[in-house]
Amino acid sequence: MDDLELLLDFHLGSARQGPGGDEETALAIRLAGLEGAKGLKIADIGCGNGAASRMLARSLDAHVTAVDFLAPFLGELEAASAEAGLSDRISTLEASMDALPFEDEQFDVIWAEGAIYNMGFKAGVEGWRRFLKPGGVLAVSELTWLTAERPAELQAHWDAEYPEVDVASAKMAVLEQAGYEPAGYFTLPERCWLEKYYRPMQARFDAFLERHAHSDAAKAIADAEQREIDLYERFKAFVSYGFYIARKV
Ligand code: SAH
């Protein structure tokens, strides 16, 4: 198994593959002002097994194109949407977020929770803009500093892991420069990290390590996640995901 397959195996069966929650997806939907709109075309990019795709399809008059480059997540998403009676409102697409096969102005809404970092916030918001209709909505969550200054240890960790991490005002400037009007913002509360993401992940550690006979590669994944969890717990006052809602100008 290569590292990507291992990571996939680690996350399969989880409710979400990044920090987030249904209440926060619902809040972003409200801030985006989408309720009442008819026949929305939405792309959920880096959808994983589709917690947000299902919320969007359930709460709006919409068709959701759920995109991920890992087919097994899309398989889980299809099973879960069938179970929820949402199959006719969600279609899946296996594609990379930096090479999307979409037409210009194809979508009313582009959604991406805990995923845009894979191509980088700036590259993502710039690259995806052309797929939005004029006035269309972009809603993305992104690792964000909560304060102007933060402890050196935390800064060093995220500078190495994700150098684009920044304060919300800097992310909003990126959105403005890329041709969007910032329209809403909130940060994910602790619950979205601990209860919804890290605790269920920790509960999968043992079975995961056993499935892979405690291989060095499997241990490395679990250890890295545990280090990230420790760091989050120590420094949660300084870092979270910001949820950015913006309108294409
Ligand atoms: N939005 C989901 C998943 C977040 S995890 C949630 O909030 O639960 C990030 C997702 O991005 C994973 O499913 C991963 O497979 C996907 N991903 C990573 N790199 C990608 C790429 N280059 N193209 C498409 N999807 C990608």
Side-chain angles (χ1 to χ4, degrees):
M1 252 194 199
D2 64 23
D3 282 354
L4 194 61
E5 285 170 319
L6 264 181
L7 256 180
L8 181 65
D9 179 72
F10 182 66
H11 285 285
L12 272 179
S14 55
R16 282 183 177 257
Q17 292 74 54
D22 284 357
E23 285 169 45
E24 287 65 30
T25 302
L27 175 57
I29 290 172
R30 285 200 299 280
L31 288 175
L34 297 172
E35 284 150 320
K38 296 281 173 224
L40 291 170
K41 292 199 171 62
I42 303 179
D44 181 12
I45 300 176
C47 60
N49 67 14
S53 304
R54 288 193 298 285
M55 278 295 293
L56 289 159
R58 213 179 0 245
S59 45
L60 295 170
D61 180 356
H63 184 88
V64 179
T65 303
V67 188
D68 206 282
F69 74 162
L70 295 179
F73 283 142
L74 298 176
E76 285 193 344
L77 185 156
E78 282 163 11
S81 18
E83 200 165 314
L86 295 168
S87 296
D88 56 340
R89 321 191 78 181
I90 303 180
S91 46
T92 57
L93 175 70
E94 187 182 338
S96 185
M97 62 174 72
D98 52 11
L100 293 165
F102 296 147
E103 318 253 313
D104 287 0
E105 303 187 4
Q106 187 177 334
F107 292 101
D108 300 287
V109 180
I110 291 180
W111 208 267
E113 293 195 29
I116 198 171
Y117 74 90
N118 286 293
M119 67 181 286
F121 185 81
K122 183 168 187 289
V125 302
E126 287 177 358
W128 299 345
R129 183 176 177 276
R130 67 187 185 86
F131 305 131
L132 277 176
K133 294 176 189 169
V137 166
L138 175 79
V140 295
S141 66
E142 161 80 346
L143 193 76
T144 299
W145 296 132
L146 303 180
T147 53
E149 291 175 12
R150 73 269 349 161
E153 183 185 347
L154 178 70
Q155 177 91 42
H157 172 85
W158 283 115
D159 278 350
E161 292 292 320
Y162 187 58
E164 265 190 77
V165 58
D166 214 332
V167 290
S169 52
K171 296 286 174 189
M172 302 234 189
V174 171
L175 287 166
E176 288 163 349
Q177 296 291 328
Y180 299 87
E181 175 203 339
Y185 176 73
F186 64 95
T187 56
L188 295 189
E190 179 182 330
R191 175 172 46 82
C192 290
W193 291 83
L194 293 179
E195 257 174 66
K196 303 275 177 190
Y197 185 54
Y198 284 147
R199 295 294 177 245
M201 176 193 289
Q202 286 174 311
R204 295 193 307 275
F205 277 167
D206 284 350
F208 170 73
L209 290 171
E210 272 171 35
R211 271 200 305 285
H212 301 286
H214 294 263
S215 73
D216 288 345
K219 273 192 275 187
I221 288 179
D223 288 349
E225 294 290 356
Q226 186 57 52
R227 278 196 302 277
E228 198 184 293
I229 295 170
D230 293 341
L231 203 73
Y232 176 76
E233 295 198 273
R234 286 169 59 212
F235 295 125
K236 60 195 175 199
F238 302 96
V239 68
S240 187
Y241 265 57
F243 214 132
Y244 297 84
I245 292 104
R247 212 165 271 288
K248 177 174 173 174
V249 181

